[in-house]
Coordinates of all heavy atoms in Angstrom, one line a residue:
G1 N 108.2 92.6 126.0 CA 109.2 91.6 125.6 C 110.1 92.2 124.5 O 109.9 93.3 124.0
V2 N 111.2 91.5 124.3 CA 112.1 91.9 123.3 C 111.7 91.5 121.9 O 111.2 90.3 121.7 CB 113.5 91.2 123.6 CG1 114.5 91.5 122.5 CG2 114.0 91.6 125.0
M3 N 111.7 92.4 121.0 CA 111.3 92.1 119.6 C 112.5 91.6 118.9 O 113.6 92.1 119.0 CB 110.8 93.3 118.9 CG 109.3 93.5 119.0 SD 109.0 95.0 118.0 CE 107.8 94.3 116.8
T4 N 112.3 90.5 118.1 CA 113.4 90.0 117.3 C 113.1 90.4 115.8 O 112.0 90.4 115.4 CB 113.5 88.5 117.4 OG1 112.3 87.9 117.0 CG2 113.9 88.1 118.8
A5 N 114.2 90.8 115.1 CA 114.0 91.1 113.7 C 113.7 89.8 112.9 O 114.3 88.8 113.2 CB 115.3 91.7 113.2
R6 N 112.9 90.0 111.9 CA 112.5 88.8 111.1 C 112.7 89.2 109.7 O 112.4 90.3 109.3 CB 111.0 88.4 111.3 CG 110.8 87.9 112.7 CD 109.4 87.4 112.8 NE 109.1 86.5 111.7 CZ 108.3 85.4 111.8 NH1 107.8 85.2 113.0 NH2 108.1 84.7 110.8
W7 N 113.2 88.3 108.9 CA 113.3 88.5 107.4 C 111.9 88.3 106.8 O 111.2 87.4 107.2 CB 114.3 87.5 106.8 CG 115.7 87.7 107.1 CD1 116.4 87.3 108.1 CD2 116.6 88.6 106.3 NE1 117.7 87.7 108.1 CE2 117.8 88.5 107.0 CE3 116.4 89.3 105.2 CZ2 118.9 89.2 106.5 CZ3 117.5 90.0 104.7 CH2 118.7 89.9 105.3
R8 N 111.6 89.1 105.9 CA 110.3 88.9 105.1 C 110.6 87.9 104.1 O 111.6 87.8 103.4 CB 109.9 90.2 104.4 CG 109.5 91.2 105.4 CD 108.8 92.4 104.7 NE 107.8 92.9 105.5 CZ 106.9 93.8 105.1 NH1 107.0 94.3 103.9 NH2 106.0 94.2 105.9
A9 N 109.6 87.0 103.8 CA 109.7 86.0 102.8 C 109.7 86.7 101.4 O 109.0 87.7 101.2 CB 108.5 85.1 102.9
L10 N 110.5 86.2 100.5 CA 110.6 86.8 99.2 C 110.0 85.8 98.2 O 110.3 84.6 98.3 CB 112.0 87.1 98.8 CG 112.7 88.3 99.5 CD1 114.1 88.4 99.1 CD2 111.9 89.5 99.2
E11 N 109.3 86.2 97.2 CA 108.9 85.4 96.1 C 110.1 85.0 95.3 O 111.0 85.7 95.0 CB 107.9 86.2 95.3 CG 107.2 85.4 94.2 CD 106.2 86.3 93.4 OE1 105.8 87.3 94.0 OE2 105.9 85.9 92.3
S12 N 110.0 83.7 94.8 CA 111.1 83.3 93.9 C 110.9 83.7 92.5 O 110.4 83.0 91.6 CB 111.2 81.7 94.0 OG 112.2 81.3 93.1
N13 N 111.2 85.0 92.3 CA 110.9 85.6 91.0 C 112.0 86.6 90.7 O 112.4 87.4 91.6 CB 109.5 86.4 91.1 CG 109.2 87.2 89.9 OD1 110.0 88.0 89.5 ND2 108.0 87.0 89.4
P14 N 112.7 86.5 89.5 CA 113.8 87.3 89.3 C 113.6 88.8 89.4 O 114.4 89.6 89.9 CB 114.2 87.0 87.8 CG 113.6 85.7 87.5 CD 112.4 85.6 88.4
D15 N 112.4 89.3 89.0 CA 112.1 90.7 89.1 C 111.9 91.1 90.6 O 112.4 92.2 91.0 CB 110.8 91.0 88.4 CG 110.9 90.8 86.9 OD1 112.0 91.0 86.4 OD2 109.9 90.5 86.2
V16 N 111.3 90.3 91.4 CA 111.1 90.6 92.8 C 112.5 90.6 93.5 O 112.8 91.5 94.3 CB 110.2 89.6 93.5 CG1 110.1 89.7 95.0 CG2 108.8 89.7 92.9
L17 N 113.3 89.6 93.2 CA 114.6 89.5 93.9 C 115.5 90.6 93.4 O 116.2 91.2 94.3 CB 115.3 88.1 93.6 CG 114.6 86.9 94.2 CD1 115.2 85.6 93.6 CD2 114.7 87.0 95.7
T18 N 115.5 91.0 92.2 CA 116.3 92.1 91.7 C 115.8 93.4 92.3 O 116.6 94.2 92.8 CB 116.2 92.2 90.1 OG1 116.8 91.0 89.6 CG2 117.0 93.4 89.6
G19 N 114.5 93.6 92.5 CA 114.0 94.8 93.1 C 114.4 94.9 94.6 O 114.8 95.9 95.1
F20 N 114.5 93.7 95.2 CA 114.9 93.7 96.6 C 116.4 94.1 96.8 O 116.7 94.9 97.6 CB 114.7 92.3 97.2 CG 115.3 92.1 98.6 CD1 114.7 92.6 99.7 CD2 116.5 91.4 98.8 CE1 115.2 92.5 101.0 CE2 117.0 91.2 100.0 CZ 116.4 91.8 101.1
I21 N 117.2 93.5 95.9 CA 118.6 93.9 96.1 C 118.9 95.4 95.7 O 119.8 96.0 96.3 CB 119.6 92.9 95.3 CG1 119.4 93.0 93.8 CG2 119.5 91.5 95.8 CD1 120.4 92.3 93.0
R22 N 118.1 96.0 94.9 CA 118.2 97.4 94.6 C 117.9 98.2 95.9 O 118.6 99.1 96.2 CB 117.3 97.9 93.5 CG 117.6 97.4 92.1 CD 118.9 98.0 91.6 NE 119.2 97.2 90.4 CZ 119.9 96.0 90.4 NH1 120.4 95.6 91.5 NH2 120.1 95.4 89.3
K23 N 116.8 97.8 96.6 CA 116.4 98.5 97.8 C 117.5 98.4 98.9 O 117.5 99.3 99.7 CB 115.1 97.9 98.3 CG 113.9 98.3 97.4 CD 112.6 97.8 97.9 CE 111.5 98.2 96.9 NZ 110.2 97.6 97.3
V24 N 118.3 97.3 98.9 CA 119.3 97.2 99.9 C 120.7 97.7 99.4 O 121.7 97.5 100.1 CB 119.4 95.8 100.5 CG1 118.1 95.4 101.2 CG2 119.8 94.8 99.4
G25 N 120.7 98.3 98.3 CA 121.9 99.0 97.8 C 122.9 98.3 96.9 O 124.0 98.7 96.7
V26 N 122.4 97.1 96.4 CA 123.3 96.4 95.5 C 123.3 97.1 94.1 O 122.3 97.6 93.6 CB 122.8 94.9 95.3 CG1 123.7 94.2 94.3 CG2 122.9 94.2 96.7
S27 N 124.5 97.2 93.5 CA 124.7 97.9 92.2 C 123.8 97.3 91.1 O 123.5 96.1 91.1 CB 126.2 97.6 91.8 OG 126.3 98.0 90.4
S28 N 123.4 98.2 90.2 CA 122.6 97.8 89.1 C 123.4 96.9 88.1 O 122.8 96.3 87.2 CB 122.0 99.0 88.3 OG 123.1 99.8 87.8
A29 N 124.7 96.7 88.4 CA 125.4 95.7 87.5 C 125.0 94.3 87.8 O 125.3 93.4 87.0 CB 126.9 95.9 87.8
F30 N 124.3 94.0 88.9 CA 123.9 92.7 89.3 C 122.3 92.6 89.2 O 121.6 93.5 89.5 CB 124.3 92.4 90.7 CG 125.8 92.4 90.9 CD1 126.4 93.5 91.4 CD2 126.6 91.4 90.5 CE1 127.8 93.6 91.6 CE2 127.9 91.4 90.7 CZ 128.5 92.5 91.2
Q31 N 121.9 91.4 88.7 CA 120.5 91.2 88.6 C 120.2 89.7 88.5 O 121.1 88.9 88.3 CB 119.8 91.8 87.4 CG 120.5 91.4 86.1 CD 120.0 92.3 84.9 OE1 119.0 93.1 85.1 NE2 120.6 92.2 83.8
F32 N 119.0 89.3 88.8 CA 118.6 87.9 88.8 C 118.0 87.5 87.5 O 117.3 88.3 86.8 CB 117.6 87.6 89.9 CG 118.2 87.7 91.3 CD1 118.3 88.8 92.0 CD2 118.7 86.5 91.9 CE1 118.9 88.9 93.2 CE2 119.3 86.5 93.1 CZ 119.4 87.7 93.8
H33 N 118.1 86.2 87.1 CA 117.5 85.7 85.8 C 117.1 84.3 86.1 O 117.7 83.6 86.9 CB 118.6 85.6 84.7 CG 119.1 87.0 84.3 ND1 118.4 87.8 83.4 CD2 120.1 87.7 84.7 CE1 119.0 88.9 83.2 NE2 120.1 88.9 84.0
D34 N 116.0 83.8 85.4 CA 115.6 82.5 85.5 C 116.6 81.6 84.8 O 117.1 81.9 83.8 CB 114.2 82.3 84.9 CG 113.1 82.7 85.8 OD1 113.2 82.4 87.0 OD2 112.1 83.2 85.3
V35 N 116.8 80.4 85.3 CA 117.5 79.3 84.7 C 116.5 78.2 84.4 O 115.9 77.7 85.3 CB 118.7 78.8 85.6 CG1 119.4 77.6 84.9 CG2 119.6 79.9 85.9
F36 N 116.4 77.9 83.1 CA 115.3 77.0 82.7 C 115.8 75.5 82.6 O 115.0 74.6 82.4 CB 114.7 77.4 81.4 CG 114.1 78.7 81.4 CD1 114.6 79.8 80.9 CD2 112.9 78.9 82.1 CE1 114.0 81.1 80.9 CE2 112.2 80.1 82.2 CZ 112.8 81.2 81.6
G37 N 117.1 75.3 82.8 CA 117.6 74.0 82.8 C 119.1 74.0 82.8 O 119.7 75.1 82.7
L38 N 119.8 72.9 83.0 CA 121.2 72.8 83.1 C 121.8 72.3 81.8 O 123.0 72.1 81.7 CB 121.6 72.0 84.3 CG 121.2 72.5 85.6 CD1 121.6 71.6 86.8 CD2 121.7 73.9 85.9
D39 N 121.0 72.2 80.7 CA 121.6 71.8 79.4 C 122.4 73.0 78.9 O 122.1 74.1 79.1 CB 120.5 71.5 78.5 CG 119.6 70.3 78.9 OD1 120.2 69.4 79.6 OD2 118.5 70.2 78.5
E40 N 123.4 72.6 78.1 CA 124.3 73.7 77.6 C 123.5 74.8 76.9 O 123.8 76.0 77.0 CB 125.3 73.0 76.7 CG 126.4 74.0 76.2 CD 127.5 73.4 75.4 OE1 127.6 72.1 75.4 OE2 128.2 74.1 74.7
E41 N 122.6 74.4 76.0 CA 121.8 75.4 75.3 C 121.0 76.3 76.2 O 120.9 77.5 75.9 CB 120.8 74.7 74.3 CG 121.5 73.8 73.3 CD 121.8 72.4 73.8 OE1 121.1 72.0 74.8 OE2 122.7 71.8 73.3
L42 N 120.5 75.8 77.3 CA 119.7 76.6 78.2 C 120.7 77.5 79.0 O 120.3 78.7 79.3 CB 118.9 75.8 79.1 CG 117.8 75.0 78.4 CD1 117.1 74.0 79.3 CD2 116.8 75.9 77.7
L43 N 121.8 77.0 79.4 CA 122.8 77.8 80.2 C 123.3 79.0 79.4 O 123.7 80.0 79.9 CB 123.9 76.9 80.7 CG 123.5 75.9 81.8 CD1 124.7 75.0 82.1 CD2 123.0 76.6 83.0
M44 N 123.4 78.8 78.0 CA 123.9 79.9 77.2 C 122.9 81.1 77.2 O 123.3 82.2 76.8 CB 124.0 79.3 75.7 CG 125.2 78.4 75.6 SD 125.4 77.5 74.0 CE 125.0 78.8 72.8
M45 N 121.7 80.9 77.7 CA 120.8 82.0 77.7 C 121.0 82.9 78.9 O 120.5 84.0 79.0 CB 119.3 81.5 77.8 CG 118.9 80.7 76.6 SD 117.3 79.8 76.8 CE 116.2 81.1 77.4
I46 N 121.9 82.5 79.8 CA 122.1 83.3 81.0 C 123.2 84.4 80.7 O 124.3 84.0 80.2 CB 122.6 82.4 82.2 CG1 121.6 81.3 82.5 CG2 122.9 83.2 83.4 CD1 122.1 80.2 83.4
P47 N 122.9 85.6 81.0 CA 123.9 86.7 80.8 C 125.2 86.3 81.6 O 125.1 85.8 82.7 CB 123.2 87.9 81.4 CG 121.8 87.6 81.3 CD 121.6 86.2 81.6
Q48 N 126.3 86.6 81.0 CA 127.6 86.4 81.6 C 128.3 87.7 82.0 O 128.1 88.7 81.3 CB 128.5 85.6 80.6 CG 127.9 84.2 80.3 CD 127.8 83.3 81.5 OE1 128.8 83.2 82.3 NE2 126.7 82.6 81.6
P49 N 129.1 87.7 83.0 CA 129.4 86.6 83.9 C 128.3 86.3 84.9 O 127.6 87.2 85.3 CB 130.7 87.0 84.6 CG 130.6 88.5 84.7 CD 129.8 88.9 83.4
A50 N 128.1 85.1 85.3 CA 127.2 84.7 86.3 C 128.0 84.6 87.6 O 129.0 83.9 87.7 CB 126.5 83.4 86.0
H51 N 127.5 85.2 88.7 CA 128.3 85.2 89.9 C 127.8 84.2 91.0 O 128.5 83.9 91.9 CB 128.3 86.6 90.5 CG 128.9 87.6 89.7 ND1 130.3 87.8 89.6 CD2 128.4 88.6 88.8 CE1 130.6 88.7 88.7 NE2 129.5 89.2 88.2
A52 N 126.5 83.8 90.8 CA 125.9 82.9 91.8 C 124.7 82.2 91.2 O 124.2 82.7 90.2 CB 125.5 83.6 93.0
V53 N 124.3 81.1 91.8 CA 123.1 80.4 91.4 C 122.2 80.2 92.6 O 122.8 79.8 93.7 CB 123.4 79.1 90.7 CG1 122.1 78.3 90.4 CG2 124.2 79.3 89.5
I54 N 121.0 80.5 92.5 CA 120.0 80.2 93.6 C 119.1 79.1 93.1 O 118.5 79.2 92.1 CB 119.2 81.5 94.0 CG1 120.0 82.6 94.5 CG2 118.1 81.1 95.0 CD1 119.3 83.9 94.8
L55 N 119.1 78.0 93.9 CA 118.3 76.8 93.6 C 117.1 76.8 94.5 O 117.3 76.9 95.7 CB 119.1 75.6 93.7 CG 120.4 75.5 92.8 CD1 121.2 74.2 93.1 CD2 119.9 75.5 91.3
L56 N 116.0 76.6 94.0 CA 114.8 76.5 94.8 C 114.2 75.1 94.5 O 113.9 74.7 93.4 CB 113.7 77.5 94.4 CG 112.4 77.5 95.2 CD1 112.6 77.7 96.6 CD2 111.4 78.4 94.6
F57 N 114.2 74.3 95.6 CA 113.7 72.9 95.4 C 113.1 72.5 96.8 O 113.5 73.0 97.8 CB 114.8 72.0 95.0 CG 116.0 72.0 95.9 CD1 116.1 71.1 97.0 CD2 117.0 72.9 95.7 CE1 117.2 71.1 97.8 CE2 118.1 72.9 96.6 CZ 118.2 72.0 97.6
P58 N 112.1 71.5 96.7 CA 111.6 71.0 97.9 C 112.6 70.2 98.7 O 113.5 69.5 98.0 CB 110.4 70.1 97.4 CG 110.7 69.8 96.0 CD 111.6 70.9 95.5
G59 N 112.6 70.3 99.9 CA 113.6 69.5 100.7 C 112.9 68.9 101.9 O 111.7 69.1 102.2
A60 N 113.7 68.1 102.7 CA 113.2 67.5 103.9 C 113.0 68.6 105.0 O 113.6 69.7 104.9 CB 114.2 66.4 104.3
E61 N 112.3 68.2 106.0 CA 112.2 69.1 107.1 C 113.5 69.4 107.7 O 114.4 68.5 107.7 CB 111.2 68.5 108.2 CG 109.8 68.5 107.8 CD 109.2 69.8 107.6 OE1 109.4 70.7 108.5 OE2 108.4 70.0 106.7
R62 N 113.7 70.6 108.2 CA 115.0 70.9 108.8 C 115.2 70.1 110.1 O 114.3 70.0 110.9 CB 115.0 72.4 109.1 CG 116.3 72.9 109.6 CD 116.3 74.4 109.8 NE 117.6 74.7 110.3 CZ 118.0 76.0 110.4 NH1 117.3 76.9 110.0 NH2 119.2 76.2 110.9
D63 N 116.4 69.7 110.3 CA 116.8 68.9 111.5 C 118.0 69.5 112.1 O 118.6 70.5 111.7 CB 116.9 67.4 111.3 CG 118.1 67.2 110.3 OD1 119.0 68.0 110.1 OD2 118.1 66.1 109.7
D64 N 118.4 69.0 113.3 CA 119.6 69.5 114.0 C 120.9 69.5 113.2 O 121.8 70.2 113.5 CB 119.8 68.8 115.3 CG 118.6 69.1 116.3 OD1 118.0 70.2 116.1 OD2 118.4 68.3 117.2
Q65 N 121.0 68.6 112.2 CA 122.2 68.5 111.4 C 122.2 69.4 110.2 O 123.2 69.4 109.5 CB 122.3 67.0 110.9 CG 122.3 66.0 112.0 CD 123.4 66.2 113.0 OE1 124.6 66.4 112.6 NE2 123.1 66.1 114.3
S66 N 121.2 70.2 110.0 CA 121.1 71.1 108.8 C 122.1 72.2 109.0 O 122.4 72.7 110.0 CB 119.7 71.7 108.7 OG 118.8 70.6 108.5
N67 N 122.5 72.7 107.8 CA 123.4 73.9 107.8 C 122.5 75.1 108.3 O 121.4 75.2 107.9 CB 123.7 74.1 106.3 CG 124.7 75.3 106.1 OD1 124.5 76.3 106.7 ND2 125.6 75.1 105.2
D68 N 123.1 75.9 109.1 CA 122.4 77.0 109.7 C 122.4 78.2 108.9 O 122.0 79.3 109.3 CB 122.9 77.3 111.1 CG 124.3 77.8 111.1 OD1 124.9 77.9 110.0 OD2 124.9 78.1 112.2
G69 N 122.9 78.1 107.6 CA 122.9 79.3 106.7 C 124.3 79.9 106.7 O 124.6 80.7 105.9
A70 N 125.2 79.5 107.6 CA 126.5 80.1 107.7 C 127.4 79.3 106.8 O 127.6 78.1 106.9 CB 127.0 80.1 109.1
A71 N 128.1 80.0 105.8 CA 129.1 79.3 105.0 C 130.4 79.5 105.6 O 130.8 80.6 106.0 CB 129.0 79.9 103.6
S72 N 131.2 78.5 105.6 CA 132.6 78.6 106.2 C 133.6 79.3 105.2 O 134.6 79.7 105.6 CB 133.1 77.3 106.7 OG 133.2 76.4 105.6
D73 N 133.2 79.3 104.0 CA 134.1 79.8 102.9 C 133.2 80.4 101.9 O 132.1 79.9 101.6 CB 135.0 78.6 102.4 CG 136.0 79.1 101.4 OD1 135.5 79.6 100.3 OD2 137.2 79.1 101.6
A74 N 133.7 81.4 101.2 CA 132.9 82.0 100.1 C 132.5 81.0 99.0 O 131.5 81.2 98.4 CB 133.7 83.2 99.5
A75 N 133.2 79.9 98.8 CA 132.9 79.0 97.8 C 131.9 77.9 98.3 O 131.4 77.1 97.6 CB 134.1 78.3 97.3
D76 N 131.6 77.9 99.6 CA 130.7 76.9 100.2 C 129.3 77.3 99.9 O 128.9 78.5 99.8 CB 130.8 76.8 101.7 CG 132.1 76.1 102.2 OD1 132.7 75.5 101.3 OD2 132.5 76.2 103.3
P77 N 128.4 76.3 99.7 CA 127.0 76.7 99.5 C 126.4 77.3 100.7 O 126.8 77.1 101.9 CB 126.3 75.3 99.3 CG 127.4 74.3 99.3 CD 128.6 74.9 99.7
F78 N 125.4 78.2 100.5 CA 124.7 78.8 101.6 C 123.2 78.3 101.5 O 122.6 78.4 100.5 CB 124.7 80.4 101.3 CG 123.9 81.2 102.3 CD1 124.3 81.5 103.5 CD2 122.6 81.5 101.9 CE1 123.5 82.3 104.4 CE2 121.8 82.3 102.7 CZ 122.3 82.6 104.0
F79 N 122.7 77.8 102.6 CA 121.4 77.2 102.6 C 120.5 78.1 103.4 O 120.8 78.6 104.5 CB 121.4 75.8 103.2 CG 122.1 74.8 102.4 CD1 123.4 74.5 102.7 CD2 121.5 74.2 101.4 CE1 124.2 73.6 102.0 CE2 122.2 73.2 100.6 CZ 123.5 73.0 100.9
L80 N 119.3 78.4 102.9 CA 118.3 79.2 103.6 C 117.0 78.5 103.4 O 116.6 78.2 102.3 CB 118.2 80.6 102.9 CG 117.3 81.6 103.6 CD1 117.9 82.0 105.0 CD2 117.2 82.9 102.8
F81 N 116.3 78.2 104.5 CA 115.1 77.4 104.5 C 113.9 78.4 104.4 O 113.9 79.4 105.1 CB 115.0 76.6 105.7 CG 116.0 75.5 105.8 CD1 117.2 75.7 106.3 CD2 115.7 74.3 105.2 CE1 118.2 74.7 106.3 CE2 116.6 73.2 105.2 CZ 117.9 73.4 105.7
Q82 N 113.1 78.1 103.4 CA 111.9 79.0 103.2 C 110.9 78.8 104.2 O 110.6 77.6 104.6 CB 111.3 78.7 101.8 CG 110.2 79.6 101.4 CD 109.8 79.4 100.0 OE1 110.4 78.7 99.2 NE2 108.7 80.0 99.6
V83 N 110.2 79.8 104.6 CA 109.1 79.7 105.6 C 107.9 79.1 104.9 O 107.7 79.3 103.7 CB 108.8 81.1 106.3 CG1 110.0 81.6 107.0 CG2 108.4 82.1 105.2
K84 N 107.1 78.5 105.7 CA 105.9 77.9 105.2 C 104.7 78.9 105.2 O 104.7 79.8 105.9 CB 105.4 76.7 106.0 CG 106.4 75.5 105.8 CD 105.9 74.3 106.6 CE 106.8 73.2 106.3 NZ 106.4 72.0 107.0

């Protein structure tokens, strides 16, 4: 049969995610950091400039109306459903 490529699940950990992007060739100018909250004092702890935010939260089961991960514009959110 035909083999399909599968993405490996990544741990939601800044060190693991940073290690992954290094392996795929992303510049060392970029790295991941934990965000401990959205209060101004907590956001001040994030190195600047921040280029993106990854939010991990429980969600409903995926349905036919869900975003398929494709963003129509660079400013649109990108959704990726975690495997169980």
